Structure formats: C-alpha cells, structure tokens
Amino acid sequence: MDRLAERGLTTGEVAERVARGQVNEVRRRSSRSLWAIIRANVLTLFNGVIAALWALIMIFGQWQDGLFGLVIVANSAIGIVQELRAKRTLDRLAVVNEAPVRVRRDGVDVEIPPHRIVLGDLILLGPGDRLLVDGEMIGSDGLEVDESLLTGEADPVHKAPGDQVLSGSFAVAGTGCHVATRVGGDAYAARLAEEASKFNLSHSELRAGITRFITYITWLVIPIGALLVWSQLKEADDFGQAITGAVAGIVTMIPEGLVLMTSIAFAVGVVRLGRRHCLVQELPAIEVLARVDVLCLDKTGTLTAGGMSLGEVRPLRDDLPVRDALGALANLDRDPNPTVQAIRAEHPGPSGWTPTAKVPFSSARKWSGAEFSGQGAWVLGAADVLLTPGTPAYAEADELAATGLRVLALGRAASLRDPDDLGPVEAAAIVVLKQRIRPEAAQTLRYFAEQHVTIKVISGDNPESVSAIATSLNIPGAEHALDARTLPENDPGKLAEILDANTVFGRVTPQQKRLFVGALQSRGHTVAMTGDGVNDVLALKDADLGVAMGSGSGATRAVAQVVLMNDDFSSLPSVVAEGRRVLANIERVSSLFLTKTFYALVLSLLTGVIGFAFPFAPRHSTLVNALTIGIPAFFLALAPSNERARSGFVPRVLRLAIPAGVVCAIAVYLSYLLAQNGGSSLAENRTAAVITLFITTWWVLVLIARPYVWWRIALVAAMAALFALAVTVPFSREFFALAPGDLGDDLVAVAVGLLASAVLTAVFKIVRSSDGTVVHNGPAATLRS
C-alpha cells in the first residue's frame, strides 16, 4: 500500500485494465441513446393505431385519404431531429461540465476525465471533490466525507486509512486518497441511479398531465370507436366508404401531435439554453423553471464574484507573531479555498512552523486551525464565531462586516484536541477581505422582482456583511438580516413563517440551508436554489430546481439540474424565461389538440347513435387539422412567453377543450344535417360540414393565439387564406374531395360556423374568468395561460 500511495498505477497497469474493460464508463444522466430517442418518437401506442388505420385505408379506400400517415412520418422525423440536436448540445456541455479527477500515476499527480478512471487507480481528494467510484482509503489528513445523499445522515464522517468510501458522497474538509475498488456500473451511486431512473429524474407535471390525457382518451376512443365502426358498417352500402368514415372519426380523436410538440418544446429549450452556456441535466427542469416563485441565492459566487483579495490585517496584539501565524495557516492546505488563496498570495509560509496537528476548514465549524511545534495552536475563521461578544475586537469586526467586507479572526487556542469544543480563543488579529459584487447582479435581481419571484439570500457569512451587499443591490427587506444561529430548527412551522417574513440570512450551516428549502416548500412555494460551494450541495439536491455555477465544486455541479457554465448570473432570467415559454406554450397547444379530440369524440358518438355517414373523410380532417392545429401549434409551441406557470395544468386545459370541442361538434353536425335535408350529394354535405369545422376550429386558434403580435396575426390569416385556396383552386378541391356546389348549403355552413364562433368566444371568457385570468383584446395585451 505504501508503494501504491507513492506512485499509483503505472502506465502499463492502466493499459491492462482498459483492455479488460475495467474503466469508469457510466452513461450521463443528461442524455439518452439514439435508439431510445427513435423508440420514443416512433414506437408509440398512437403511432401503432394510426399505422393500422392507414393500412386499412390503403386496402379499402383511396390513397388520398391516407395522407394522415405521412403526417405521422413527418412528425416522428421532426421529433427525432430535434431531440438529436438537444442530445448533441447536452453531451457537448456535459463533457465541459465534468470536473476532472486527480489521480496519481507513475508517481505523478495528474488530472483526467472521470470516464478514464480505472480499477485500482489512486484518487486524490480535497474539499468539494465528488467521489465518482467506490474505494478504500489509504491516506487521510483530516478528511471528512458527507454521505447524506446516500444515507440521509447529516453529519460528515471522518475517514481513516482502511475505511470504505462510496461513490455519490463528497469531501467537505481535509484531504486524502483512496484506491478505486468498484468503477463504472458496479459503483454504488451508478447502481442506485440505474434502479431509480434512466433519464428523467425530476417529476414533470406537464408530462404526467399529458399521460393522463392519453389515458382518458384511450378509454374513450375504444368504446366510441367501436360504436362508430359498427354504425358505419351497418348503414353504408359500400364497405370501403364505411371503413373510410370510421377511420376519419378515429384518426381525428387521437391527439397524435401533442406528445411530439411537448418533446420538441423541451428539446428546443435545451438547445436554446445550451447556446447561452446553460447545461440542463434533467429535461423536466425546464418545466420547473416556469413554476419557480422563490429563488434562494448564496452570496459568495452568486451575488459576488468567486475570487476575493486581502484588504488588510489588523493586529490586536503586538506581542504575537501575527503575520507568521497567518502565513503558516494559509500554506497548510494543498487545495486552498478562495479565502485562503487570497491570504496566501500576501503571506508566504514562514520557516520553523511545523504542524503537529491540523483541523481542516468546514462550513459547519466556520474555522480551520493547526498546532505548531513550539508555537501552540492557532485558528483562523469567522470573526463572530471565534471572537467573544462584547469585546472591543468583536465590535470592531462587526463594524467592518456591516460595510459588506468579509471579516475573519486569527487567534490562539489552548488545544485543538476536540474541534467541536474549541474553548476560548485569544484574539490576535482581524483579517479583512474584499469582495466584488457581480456587475450584472442588480439588473438580474430587478428582473425577478418584476416577475414576482421572491429573493432569499442565504449565506454562511456574517449577517451584517450579507445585509450590506444585499442592500447595495436594492433587495427588498435586505436591511434586516437574521442570524441563522438564533432560528428554531425543531419547529418547521415557525421556521417557515420566519423565512416567509424575512429576506437575508447569515451564518447559515449547510444543514440549515437544506431545512430552509424544505420549510419554504412546505408553504407551497416552488423553490430554486443557486450555489457553487460544497456547503450548497444538500440544499441544491432538495430544491425543486438546483442551479450551480460552472466554476463551483464538482459535487455542486453533479447534483444541480441546471449548470451555468460561464458563471454568468445574468443568464438566470433567460433560463427562467425559457421554462415559462415551454410550459405556457405547451398548455396553449394542448388546448388546440384536445379540442380536436373532443369534437371528434362527440361527432363519432352522434354518428354512432344516429347512424348517418361520418360528416367528413380522412383527407378532410388532414386538411383542417393541418391548418388549425398542426402548423400553428409548431409555431406557437416555440413562441416567446413570460407567463409564470401555475399548478392545475390538466383541469385547466380540459375546462377549455371539452366545451370548445362540444360546440365545434354540434355546429358541424348541425351544418351536415341541414345540408342533408336539402337533397345534396354526400360530397356536398361533407363540404358544408368541413367549412363549418374549419371556421369553428380556426376561431379556437384565434382565441388561443392571443396576445396578438404581428406574426401571430399573420399566422392565423395565412391559415384562413390556405383554406380558401384549398376550396377554390380546382386541383386542391379535387384532391381533398371538396364540392362547394350548393351555394345555399355553403352559406348556411358559414352562418352556423360564425354563430358557433360567437358561442366559443363566450365559453372562452367564462373559462378564463373561472381560472382567475383576465383576457385582454388589444394588440399589446397579455394572456396569462
């Protein structure tokens, strides 16, 4: 073991293990295989049903009535292409996001990608490092590992040589090294991930809602479709005509494009965010973005830039070696944090200061320290933790912190034997560090205020320092900061009440951050959490949406659903806006697709009960659906939107789609019956029904497409113009079997359509009013979906 700790594996040993396949190959959670994408877009229940119906039309009907089969092919192809684009974007960003692993090979410490770890590699650990493989410790210098993501145990675990470590945990303090004993799919975290989920790890209300739609529709289509087939076979003189009428009804019942549009919206969202250097590691995270109403920010690395500089050192005692002690402590760690780096840059390590014991820094303790031979025990950490309240030194540090500076204290302790009970500290100096506020922070915070997203600043720093920075950014309520050490931890209700009433919190421990997230969620909030340090990992994992900085620790980036690769805090509004765009637009197009489904269900039910021929052929439904749903839905699904999502997606869509579908169906059947009574041919009767169908469904599009901007007006106008061309141009009229020969029937059809449109407008207003939204009619109006 000693020889292995000195040199690690040799190049030859690594090559042997690679040849045997003993490498850390694990599929990324942000991506899925080409076959999985093809299967999801092609091998679906609805596609199978439509393929069977298309085959029936090809055998018994005319090929023009089989156009709906080409639509399915086009839909599947578009879905596959868009998801492949998203996959490439995700895979490219995921490679950049992977934190390199430090290993020792041939006696040299090198950084390698995680997938190049082999069985038996010697892996080096420092604060913030994520354990990617299982292993056995062979060296530890105060190493503490947080295993809470695996075991639920909140307290870090001290690791000594011989102890086992599991992938999925992360180092929070100290340094050490371990030998990889299980890699790839054999590692503990990989096995857990395989059991839990293969791709989408977050709950998606949107996808769950669409699954419910499909379940409802399937149960309705089966009996109504059977009734329709029976009635068409019973009444029709021609078997081919009976099959054509039945297929027209069943095909129209199926919302085949709804799942496709959802997939496309998600995929395009991933690509758009990728262009802004945002890695989405779980696709439903895009949806959660739209629902966020509380954003918890960590000060350091989010509101302030990651680095800092040493401002000044104020000695409190002239008889103590302040600068030597500061230099000795700052040069102990092989992997220093930004605070220690700033001190180390100004204070090199002194000679003669030999450490005999060390306590590494941890976010829970807020200090680090060491005992030096002949120099005693020295500690460096948060001033309000190490200094005694009421002393001049404490007051001076508090005054400096109130200006937004980061203030540390250097002191001497009697002993470091029990880090959890340090005892009194003899103050030696105050260390002042300068922090730089991100220039884009103020504008970003203003955006969230305008969008009614509540900001909570949660930091491990001094409350006064956090308050000063938050106040400078005009965060409401920032002038009153709370010290988290005074908050109740065993009374979740009281804690949630305090969190709702206050904005800025300092001296928050990692475990408290996690409690804060849970308390806010208990009040019905959808919580997003940003962070970059190892102390943010637990809260990021529990938040509805975890957002990590690209320069943050590997553990932080691993658990977050979204990673800001370029550390640009100002990209957060774009991230939230993308989520709102996806969810609001999918709700909008869902109303279109399900209106079609419900008018087809009602028409099929009426046809089955009354016993007439179905009011239109498959080619008619293909034409109308393409112009009022398929083409417009593609544009509407990708349109910009800032509407914050609300829960209740399924009932809200059904409240609009069911009555709208019923009105459309009744209008179409009325028009069809009136034409039949006039003694017209079947083709002329169906043409009258198609005219009414287009007018009513086009008007549903007009209502749903609001608010009106130039391109939406152009879109709905173009759809009307295309239908007019289809009716008037001889070739298209023949192709789509349209026969507008009876002017009286056609005028009646238009009148019925206009009357139904007026009823639809009233239905739309009633439904939107019951949803608590206001419908505006002006061109600059905003419709909250």
Side-chain angles (χ1 to χ4, degrees), residues 3 136 178 260 285 316 379 384 429 437 445 551 579 581 679 729-730 781:
R3 188 173 64 85
E136 180 183 343
H178 71 97
L260 168 78
L316 300 173
V379 292
D384 56 330
I437 296 177
L445 293 171
S551 63
R581 180 194 66 78
V729 174

Side-chain angles (χ1 to χ4, degrees), residues 8 55 60 78 164 188 223 269 281 344 367 415 427 430 459 503 528 542 544 570 581 686 701 725 748 773:
F60 299 107
I78 292 170
Q164 298 296 311
Y188 184 73
Q281 304 204 91
R344 181 184 287 188
W367 60 269
S415 171
I430 291 174
S459 175
T503 301
D542 285 359
D544 297 291
S570 65
R581 180 194 66 78
R686 282 181 163 174
L701 170 65
L725 287 174
V748 169
T773 56

Side-chain angles (χ1 to χ4, degrees), residues 159-213:
K159 292 295 181 180
D163 289 347
Q164 298 296 311
V165 289
L166 296 176
S167 54
S169 53
F170 55 95
V172 294
T175 58
C177 56
H178 71 97
V179 174
T181 57
R182 284 190 294 270
V183 298
D186 294 331
Y188 184 73
R191 295 200 308 272
L192 280 183
E194 189 72 18
E195 292 168 9
S197 174
K198 284 183 177 278
F199 186 48
N200 291 324
L201 306 179
S202 297
H203 171 72
S204 168
E205 182 180 340
L206 180 63
R207 288 190 167 176
I210 290 173
T211 301
R212 287 173 64 188
F213 289 148

Side-chain angles (χ1 to χ4, degrees), residues 335-543:
D335 190 16
N337 59 34
T339 301
V340 174
Q341 288 176 13
I343 297 172
R344 181 184 287 188
E346 302 290 336
H347 292 80
S351 58
W353 285 66
T354 305
T356 58
K358 291 192 293 185
V359 176
F361 176 82
S362 80
S363 298
R365 284 190 297 268
K366 309 292 185 190
W367 60 269
S368 62
E371 291 189 16
F372 299 94
S373 179
Q375 303 292 343
W378 290 81
V379 292
L380 176 67
D384 56 330
V385 172
L386 295 178
L387 299 179
T388 304
T391 62
Y394 188 95
E396 183 178 353
D398 201 43
E399 186 178 336
L400 288 167
T403 65
L405 296 168
R406 190 168 196 174
V407 183
L408 305 180
L410 174 70
R412 256 193 339 192
S415 171
L416 301 182
R417 222 169 289 162
D418 184 2
D420 296 325
D421 186 14
L422 185 59
V425 174
E426 185 182 353
I430 291 174
V431 181
V432 182
L433 295 156
K434 294 179 180 177
Q435 304 175 97
R436 183 173 60 86
I437 296 177
R438 290 184 182 272
E440 69 274 12
Q443 181 178 351
T444 303
L445 293 171
R446 276 198 301 273
Y447 165 84
F448 285 114
E450 292 167 358
Q451 296 299 315
H452 307 292
V453 176
T454 304
I455 300 295
K456 305 290 181 185
V457 183
I458 300 174
S459 175
D461 281 357
N462 180 288
E464 297 301 325
S465 175
V466 181
S467 175
I469 289 175
T471 301
S472 70
L473 292 169
N474 297 317
I475 296 176
E479 62 282 352
H480 177 60
L482 291 183
D483 190 325
R485 292 171 293 188
T486 66
L487 298 180
E489 294 188 16
N490 298 322
D491 187 347
K494 182 66 174 175
L495 179 62
E497 186 179 327
I498 293 171
L499 286 167
D500 255 350
N502 295 274
T503 301
V504 177
F505 304 86
R507 289 293 171 236
V508 185
T509 66
Q511 187 60 29
Q512 280 182 311
K513 288 187 179 183
R514 191 180 202 178
L515 292 174
F516 283 14
V517 169
L520 289 167
Q521 289 170 330
S522 72
R523 306 279 282 198
H525 295 297
T526 301
V527 182
M529 174 80 192
T530 69
D532 66 341
V534 68
N535 59 320
D536 301 317
V537 171
L538 302 180
L540 286 172
K541 184 68 176 176
D542 285 359

Side-chain angles (χ1 to χ4, degrees), residues 41 72-82 260:
N41 284 276
I72 296 304
V73 173
N75 283 350
S76 297
I78 292 170
I80 290 170
V81 169
Q82 291 291 357
L260 168 78

